[in-house]
Amino acid sequence: MKKTAVTPTRSEDYPEWYQQVIKVAELAEHSPVRGCMVIKPWGYALWENIQRILDRRFKETGHQNAYFPLFIPLSYLEKEAKHVEGFAKECAVVTHHRLVAGEEGKLVPDGELEEPLVVRPTSEMMIGEMFSKWIESHRDLPLLMNQWANVVRWEMRTRLFLRTTEFLWQEGHTAHATEEEARAEARQMLEIYVDFAENKLAIPVIQGEKTESERFPGAVATYTFEAMMQDGKALQAGTSHFLGQNFSKAQDITFQDREGNQAHAWTTSWGVTTRLIGGMIMVHGDDDGLVLPPRIASAQAVILPLVHKPEAKEKILAYCRALKEKLQKVHYAEDPLTVHLDERDLRSGEKVWSWIKKGVPIRVEIGLRELEQGELTIAKRNKGHKDFEKQTEETLLATIADQLDAIQDDLYAKAKAFRDSHIQEVDTEEAFYAFFKKEAGFVSAHWAGDHAVEEKLQKELSVTVRCIPLDGAKEAGTCPFTGKSSPQRVIFAKSY
Amino acid sequence: MKKTAVTPTRSEDYPEWYQQVIKVAELAEHSPVRGCMVIKPWGYALWENIQRILDRRFKETGHQNAYFPLFIPLSYLEKEAKHVEGFAKECAVVTHHRLVAGEEGKLVPDGELEEPLVVRPTSEMMIGEMFSKWIESHRDLPLLMNQWANVVRWEMRTRLFLRTTEFLWQEGHTAHATEEEARAEARQMLEIYVDFAENKLAIPVIQGEKTESERFPGAVATYTFEAMMQDGKALQAGTSHFLGQNFSKAQDITFQDREGNQAHAWTTSWGVTTRLIGGMIMVHGDDDGLVLPPRIASAQAVILPLVHKPEAKEKILAYCRALKEKLQKVHYAEDPLTVHLDERDLRSGEKVWSWIKKGVPIRVEIGLRELEQGELTIAKRNKGHKDFEKQTEETLLATIADQLDAIQDDLYAKAKAFRDSHIQEVDTEEAFYAFFKKEAGFVSAHWAGDHAVEEKLQKELSVTVRCIPLDGAKEAGTCPFTGKSSPQRVIFAKSY
């Protein structure tokens, strides 16, 4: 049996494999607070990279960052009926503003608030309130805002990165003078997300619209991009909502139009979260641990001084430090390379494996032999761990950006091949049930829009409509469940 | 009477002037949640710059970013007696995890938690808990962490940026094998802050140690850097704490040392907040609004197309857009220049004044005359608003970085001259009382360490010991309040 760095393997127990990868790669762990995670430096660096890259895209498309309060007064949350209904069951509620000594000297909450405050599960109701103050005229539109923040949705069953009570995200909120503009904004942000997922996270996604039952509470249309994990389940990786005038009417976001009439603005909101990290782990990870796409990696390369003779240590370290300096001056994608140098006194095997598990794209191993021969030993995380290349320093420095891009492309190609080979077109109810009882993957099938079908499939198979795809040919057909005519196929899957 | 853009002026009503500067510069505003502010884009950009610059310094000195939960279980907070005593009166407490319809259909909190959760006022108790899990051996030390986060301290009297219930900050937390190392860390981080305040915010500060009564709850030593505002009051701009073994004993942060013995780690914590923005406003602002030091400014320059003849509009705009492209390629300090182009259709006066109020260091005014003469009109925020220079585009591009540095230096020099002329050495109690009854500023006086003196001065004059300065000559003397001998002068002031 092949020995792997992670136990169990993906095929033995995929959910447990996922937890173990997070552990061995030191990405995150559960905190003492139920459902809240601690994001460790190697995991947080991924979030910093996500932030930096997306933040640039948001600013390039005219959005400005701001910061809105953590707390939302209960009465504000109630303004949009569907919205509050959607979040009421998972709200952390602040009811007191101090602690005093109670019986036996233990502290107890005191100073009850006149109105309870909800820890934001999302900020439509707070940001909309400010928009209603800030927007007076069509000259104030479009108003394009974003915030990077923490939000809380009380979850009973949590899983690191994928579903946690507190998570980090960005939430964009925009207001427009016309329906057309707001719809275009929601679609534009979806496209930015999709481009980011495919080109930075190396995750192929299907973009589409959610059915009515899966819409964001209060939205007119919710756009999503769905990725396939290695167990064939779907992950909703992020969403962009066209909110119509639902929120602007609930919150009185009005403006004077060019003709001098008062009108309600059209709004959108859109967000991605630390969940993206969970998706990346599940799409690219293997039985030896994490595999990081170079364009988002916490570090693109690690230099491993392998010291077998103590007297050679300083010579090897000196060379490695100089190489690190040189590599850090190389630009890759939009930023300088991030390079680690592991100077720990560890056995070579232990040192090498710690970085395999952490998923660094390129390892540069340097011992006395490399110095004497003038060639570095290069190992790549997307190859087998006994697969080495010899490169001169000159070659490495000149071509590392291209080599990283080749790794990036390879990871995307592998993920896409896996995804494509696990999507099946199905045209009968029997074949649909047969697929989900024994196969892992997505089904592309017709559906005439009946919510009863969604309920039945969810109940009997735990399968939902992931999205009504936006791209691709829209050939009409017949819903296998109702016999009604359907305008296009939709994507069905089990999901996270 | 001279007309000013801000009413009232500083001399008429300094606190109200401060609020008005924040308003006219569009930095922030009060939110509907008591004590919580909305940071608007122009203000948030300052925070982004503070983050970017400090984050680099933290990483250069070996610190790693991570993220820890927003909530702290009540029982954790109680582990360090002085710590919880210090924060109990200002804690937002989460007691319920959902909302249900109550009487009259109004939502009420439901799902009471077994143990209440405190919204973090600071994270010693959570991060220490993780440290105690992560640290086993001297090889795990030092452990150098930082997080950028929001924290909540329930405040009854709030003031935008200076004191708000929720604020943004960074909190560094480190653990070390020796007392010496931990003390050096606390001092190193203080020095990074002081360098940042002086060289980026252009705020001269006095660094020193807090007296026992002003220490962080649970600390052995609290280092501070104190700035003088234009009303002569002190602002504690940030702090760095040597925590000794108080927290490691309360939280069981132990390690096996080189000799194989179990020992308690020595810890530190240090933080700066959005309060820095308040300090910057109060130090540099004038009666026309905000004045931004170039190295931290939301934008270093703004291009103002001034269109008096509609037919010239496109020609002027085309020139301005090209100039913006060129300016954005110039590097200033550690980053590319941030340049705005104001294309709004506004009267010239209104357009110009909006940017004076927002404090942009350099305004580049461009109308038909400038295009025809081949010279740009340059106005600088640190000069009078009728003070213009003519510069060719070539000169501007070649020297803008130097011009900005000259503005930076000028702002620092002005602030330092003001500060230095408002510090007075005082040697008698009578002179001390006389100063604080009619002068604005700091007093440098001897003090023998008696807490009773601190209490009396706070009660009678609202004056506190701001710090025991770390630098400067330490000439001994006599405490004017007790007649006891004192090793050095300390700084007294009223404060924010």
Side-chain angles (χ1 to χ4, degrees):
Chain A
M1 205 180 91
K2 192 185 158 202
K3 200 164 164 336
T4 59
V6 178
T7 312
T9 62
R10 288 164 293 177
S11 59
E12 285 164 358
D13 183 346
Y14 191 76
E16 182 56 24
W17 163 84
Y18 173 73
Q19 302 290 338
Q20 289 303 317
V21 171
I22 290 173
K23 186 175 174 181
V24 300
E26 301 185 78
L27 293 169
E29 43 187 88
H30 293 286
S31 81
V33 185
R34 235 197 88 276
C36 293
M37 64 178 163
V38 172
I39 308 179
K40 300 175 79 171
W42 194 249
Y44 196 76
L46 294 170
W47 184 241
E48 289 181 310
N49 291 343
I50 290 171
Q51 286 190 298
R52 192 183 60 251
I53 298 170
L54 280 179
D55 198 68
R56 276 189 200 134
R57 299 288 168 274
F58 299 159
K59 285 175 177 160
E60 283 163 9
T61 44
H63 302 85
Q64 295 185 297
N65 285 337
Y67 188 77
F68 298 86
L70 173 67
F71 299 131
I72 300 177
L74 186 45
S75 60
Y76 280 75
L77 204 64
E78 290 181 301
K79 287 186 182 182
E80 215 287 337
K82 280 190 187 165
H83 187 68
V84 69
E85 193 189 315
F87 289 105
K89 286 182 194 133
E90 48 190 52
C91 285
V93 191
V94 174
T95 54
H96 295 75
H97 68 77
R98 64 174 170 250
L99 300 165
V100 295
E103 291 169 31
E104 298 166 31
K106 285 279 165 200
L107 289 174
V108 293
D110 189 58
E112 190 169 352
L113 302 179
E114 279 181 35
E115 179 177 11
L117 298 172
V118 172
V119 181
R120 64 183 160 215
T122 179
S123 301
E124 274 74 10
M125 304 319 288
M126 179 55 66
I127 296 181
E129 177 69 19
M130 301 313 294
F131 275 21
S132 78
K133 288 178 62 178
W134 294 340
I135 297 170
E136 293 180 355
S137 145
H138 62 90
R139 281 189 210 89
D140 301 319
L141 298 175
L143 187 55
L144 309 174
M145 293 245 169
N146 177 63
Q147 85 169 346
W148 294 93
N150 53 345
V151 282
V152 170
R153 296 177 188 176
W154 205 270
E155 296 283 354
M156 285 306 167
R157 292 189 54 194
T158 59
R159 213 189 290 244
L160 292 169
F161 291 117
L162 297 175
R163 193 175 294 277
T164 49
T165 289
E166 182 191 14
F167 55 91
L168 303 182
W169 80 343
Q170 61 68 217
E171 50 181 319
H173 295 268
T174 69
H176 306 262
T178 67
E179 174 175 359
E180 192 185 2
E181 242 189 62
R183 283 191 184 274
E185 166 80 9
R187 289 290 295 271
Q188 170 187 258
M189 300 324 288
L190 179 71
E191 273 161 35
I192 285 175
Y193 289 153
V194 167
D195 176 72
F196 177 77
E198 303 216 323
N199 292 313
K200 302 294 180 181
L201 305 180
I203 299 178
V205 297
I206 297 174
Q207 52 179 306
E209 190 176 338
K210 285 286 183 192
T211 67
E212 189 181 344
S213 60
E214 298 264 326
R215 253 178 227 151
F216 177 76
V220 173
T222 285
Y223 300 104
T224 179
F225 55 114
E226 303 274 330
M228 186 188 288
M229 306 298 104
Q230 291 181 68
D231 60 354
K233 282 193 185 174
L235 184 78
Q236 174 183 308
T239 47
S240 179
H241 316 292
F242 167 62
L243 302 175
Q245 295 178 314
N246 290 349
F247 284 80
S248 71
K249 285 180 177 166
Q251 302 185 285
D252 200 27
I253 307 172
T254 58
F255 66 99
Q256 191 172 51
D257 67 19
R258 283 173 203 281
E259 288 74 42
N261 306 312
Q262 283 298 115
H264 282 99
W266 300 81
T267 67
T268 81
S269 67
W270 30 275
V272 292
T273 77
T274 32
R275 170 172 254 214
L276 286 176
I277 297 172
M280 191 166 54
I281 297 164
M282 287 204 289
V283 166
H284 300 299
D286 65 20
D287 296 337
D288 287 330
L290 188 63
V291 177
L292 289 173
R295 287 191 204 148
I296 204 73
S298 316
Q300 279 83 32
V302 62
I303 300 171
L304 302 175
L306 302 180
V307 180
H308 299 287
K309 295 180 184 166
E311 63 273 22
K313 183 174 171 180
E314 277 314 312
K315 189 176 167 188
I316 294 173
L317 284 184
Y319 177 82
C320 289
R321 288 175 191 147
L323 180 62
K324 184 185 173 190
E325 294 280 318
K326 291 176 201 165
L327 279 168
Q328 283 177 327
K329 291 198 180 113
V330 175
H331 261 67
Y332 176 60
E334 299 167 79
D335 295 284
L337 272 186
T338 302
V339 181
H340 274 264
L341 166 57
D342 185 350
E343 297 200 10
R344 291 176 299 173
D345 279 325
L346 283 181
R347 284 188 311 107
S348 295
E350 197 180 336
K351 195 182 265 195
V352 168
W353 275 100
S354 74
W355 294 99
I356 293 176
K357 290 186 279 189
K358 279 175 173 282
V360 184
I362 290 182
R363 301 190 303 280
V364 185
E365 302 184 2
I366 300 172
L368 207 48
R369 193 175 54 188
E370 280 76 11
L371 291 198
E372 284 161 359
Q373 297 178 348
E375 283 198 318
L376 311 171
T377 300
I378 307 290
K380 293 177 178 170
R381 186 61 181 85
N382 62 326
K383 300 285 171 63
H385 54 79
K386 287 176 181 163
D387 219 338
F388 296 104
E389 298 171 35
K390 290 283 181 184
Q391 289 179 21
T392 63
E393 178 185 307
E394 202 177 5
T395 303
L396 181 70
L397 288 169
T399 64
I400 188 167
D402 292 338
Q403 294 185 56
L404 287 164
D405 268 348
I407 297 172
Q408 179 87 21
D409 292 346
D410 180 49
L411 293 181
Y412 180 80
K414 277 181 193 158
K416 188 160 188 304
F418 179 88
R419 200 268 313 263
D420 291 348
S421 68
H422 289 79
I423 302 183
Q424 195 166 311
E425 288 199 354
V426 163
D427 291 314
T428 68
E429 184 163 351
E430 198 186 348
F432 190 97
Y433 272 71
F435 180 92
F436 282 112
K437 282 185 174 159
K438 62 171 196 266
E439 307 277 339
F442 293 0
V443 158
S444 171
H446 281 285
W447 173 66
D450 294 80
H451 183 53
V453 171
E454 288 181 281
E455 282 186 311
K456 180 171 130 83
L457 295 176
Q458 174 142 39
K459 197 175 150 205
E460 295 176 3
L461 295 171
S462 301
V463 164
T464 50
V465 177
R466 300 316 303 159
C467 70
I468 305 160
L470 285 169
D471 39 18
K474 300 214 189 299
E475 131 261 26
T478 307
C479 170
F481 309 104
T482 61
K484 293 183 190 169
S485 69
S486 144
Q488 72 169 99
R489 289 178 185 273
V490 303
I491 299 294
F492 290 91
K494 294 176 182 172
S495 74
Y496 280 91
Chain B
M1 207 180 87
K2 194 184 157 200
K3 200 163 163 336
T4 60
V6 177
T7 312
T9 61
R10 289 164 291 176
S11 59
E12 286 165 356
D13 183 345
Y14 192 75
E16 180 58 22
W17 164 83
Y18 174 73
Q19 301 290 340
Q20 289 303 318
V21 171
I22 290 173
K23 185 175 174 181
V24 299
E26 300 184 78
L27 293 170
E29 45 188 88
H30 293 286
S31 81
V33 185
R34 234 197 89 278
C36 294
M37 65 177 162
V38 171
I39 308 178
K40 300 175 79 170
W42 195 248
Y44 196 77
L46 294 170
W47 185 241
E48 289 181 310
N49 292 343
I50 291 171
Q51 286 190 298
R52 192 182 61 252
I53 297 170
L54 280 179
D55 199 68
R56 275 188 202 136
R57 298 291 168 274
F58 299 159
K59 285 175 177 160
E60 283 163 8
T61 44
H63 302 85
Q64 294 185 297
N65 285 337
Y67 188 77
F68 297 86
L70 173 67
F71 300 130
I72 299 177
L74 186 44
S75 59
Y76 279 74
L77 204 64
E78 289 179 300
K79 287 187 183 184
E80 216 288 337
K82 281 192 187 162
H83 187 68
V84 68
E85 194 190 316
F87 288 107
K89 287 182 193 134
E90 48 190 54
C91 285
V93 191
V94 175
T95 54
H96 294 75
H97 68 78
R98 64 174 170 252
L99 300 166
V100 296
E103 289 169 32
E104 299 168 30
K106 284 279 165 199
L107 288 175
V108 293
D110 190 57
E112 191 169 354
L113 302 179
E114 279 179 36
E115 180 178 11
L117 299 172
V118 172
V119 181
R120 63 181 162 218
T122 178
S123 300
E124 275 73 11
M125 303 320 287
M126 178 57 66
I127 295 180
E129 177 69 19
M130 301 313 294
F131 275 21
S132 78
K133 288 180 63 178
W134 295 339
I135 296 170
E136 293 180 355
S137 146
H138 63 88
R139 281 191 209 87
D140 301 320
L141 297 175
L143 187 55
L144 310 174
M145 294 243 170
N146 177 63
Q147 84 169 346
W148 293 94
N150 53 344
V151 281
V152 170
R153 297 178 187 175
W154 205 270
E155 296 283 357
M156 286 305 167
R157 291 189 55 195
T158 60
R159 214 191 289 244
L160 291 170
F161 292 116
L162 297 176
R163 194 177 291 278
T164 50
T165 289
E166 182 192 14
F167 56 90
L168 303 181
W169 79 344
Q170 61 69 217
E171 49 181 321
H173 296 268
T174 70
H176 306 261
T178 66
E179 174 174 359
E180 192 186 0
E181 241 189 61
R183 283 193 184 273
E185 165 80 10
R187 289 290 295 271
Q188 171 187 254
M189 300 323 289
L190 178 71
E191 273 161 33
I192 286 176
Y193 289 154
V194 167
D195 177 71
F196 177 77
E198 302 217 322
N199 291 313
K200 302 295 180 180
L201 304 179
I203 299 178
V205 297
I206 297 174
Q207 51 179 308
E209 190 176 340
K210 284 287 184 191
T211 67
E212 188 181 346
S213 60
E214 297 263 325
R215 253 177 226 151
F216 177 75
V220 173
T222 285
Y223 301 105
T224 178
F225 54 113
E226 304 274 330
M228 187 188 288
M229 306 297 105
Q230 291 181 67
D231 60 355
K233 283 193 186 173
L235 184 78
Q236 174 184 307
T239 48
S240 179
H241 316 292
F242 167 62
L243 303 175
Q245 295 179 314
N246 291 349
F247 285 81
S248 71
K249 286 181 177 167
Q251 301 186 286
D252 200 28
I253 307 173
T254 59
F255 68 100
Q256 192 172 50
D257 66 19
R258 282 172 205 280
E259 288 73 42
N261 306 311
Q262 283 298 115
H264 281 100
W266 300 81
T267 67
T268 82
S269 67
W270 29 274
V272 292
T273 77
T274 31
R275 169 175 256 214
L276 287 176
I277 298 173
M280 191 167 54
I281 298 165
M282 286 203 292
V283 167
H284 301 298
D286 66 19
D287 296 337
D288 288 330
L290 188 63
V291 177
L292 289 173
R295 288 190 203 147
I296 204 73
S298 316
Q300 279 84 31
V302 61
I303 301 169
L304 302 175
L306 302 181
V307 181
H308 299 286
K309 293 179 183 167
E311 62 274 22
K313 182 175 171 179
E314 276 316 311
K315 190 177 167 189
I316 294 172
L317 283 184
Y319 177 82
C320 289
R321 288 174 192 148
L323 179 63
K324 183 185 173 190
E325 295 280 319
K326 290 176 204 167
L327 279 169
Q328 283 176 326
K329 291 196 181 114
V330 175
H331 261 67
Y332 176 60
E334 300 167 79
D335 295 284
L337 274 186
T338 302
V339 181
H340 273 264
L341 167 57
D342 184 351
E343 296 201 9
R344 291 175 299 173
D345 279 325
L346 284 182
R347 284 188 311 106
S348 295
E350 196 179 339
K351 193 182 269 197
V352 168
W353 273 100
S354 73
W355 295 99
I356 293 175
K357 290 185 281 188
K358 278 174 173 284
V360 185
I362 291 183
R363 303 189 303 280
V364 185
E365 302 185 3
I366 300 171
L368 207 47
R369 194 175 50 189
E370 279 76 11
L371 292 197
E372 284 163 359
Q373 297 178 347
E375 282 198 318
L376 311 172
T377 300
I378 307 291
K380 293 175 179 172
R381 185 61 179 87
N382 63 325
K383 300 286 172 63
H385 55 77
K386 284 176 182 163
D387 218 338
F388 297 102
E389 298 171 33
K390 290 283 181 183
Q391 291 179 19
T392 63
E393 179 185 307
E394 204 177 5
T395 303
L396 181 69
L397 287 169
T399 64
I400 188 166
D402 293 337
Q403 294 185 56
L404 288 164
D405 267 348
I407 296 171
Q408 179 87 22
D409 293 345
D410 180 50
L411 293 181
Y412 180 79
K414 277 182 194 159
K416 188 159 187 306
F418 179 87
R419 200 269 313 263
D420 291 347
S421 68
H422 288 79
I423 302 183
Q424 196 166 310
E425 288 198 356
V426 165
D427 292 312
T428 67
E429 183 163 351
E430 196 186 348
F432 190 97
Y433 272 72
F435 181 91
F436 283 113
K437 284 188 172 160
K438 62 171 196 264
E439 306 279 334
F442 293 1
V443 159
S444 172
H446 281 285
W447 172 68
D450 295 80
H451 183 53
V453 172
E454 287 182 282
E455 283 186 311
K456 179 172 132 82
L457 295 176
Q458 175 143 40
K459 196 175 152 205
E460 294 178 1
L461 294 172
S462 301
V463 163
T464 50
V465 177
R466 300 317 303 158
C467 69
I468 304 160
L470 287 168
D471 40 16
K474 298 212 190 301
E475 131 260 24
T478 307
C479 170
F481 309 105
T482 61
K484 293 183 191 170
S485 70
S486 144
Q488 72 169 102
R489 288 177 186 273
V490 304
I491 299 293
F492 291 90
K494 295 178 182 171
S495 75
Y496 280 91

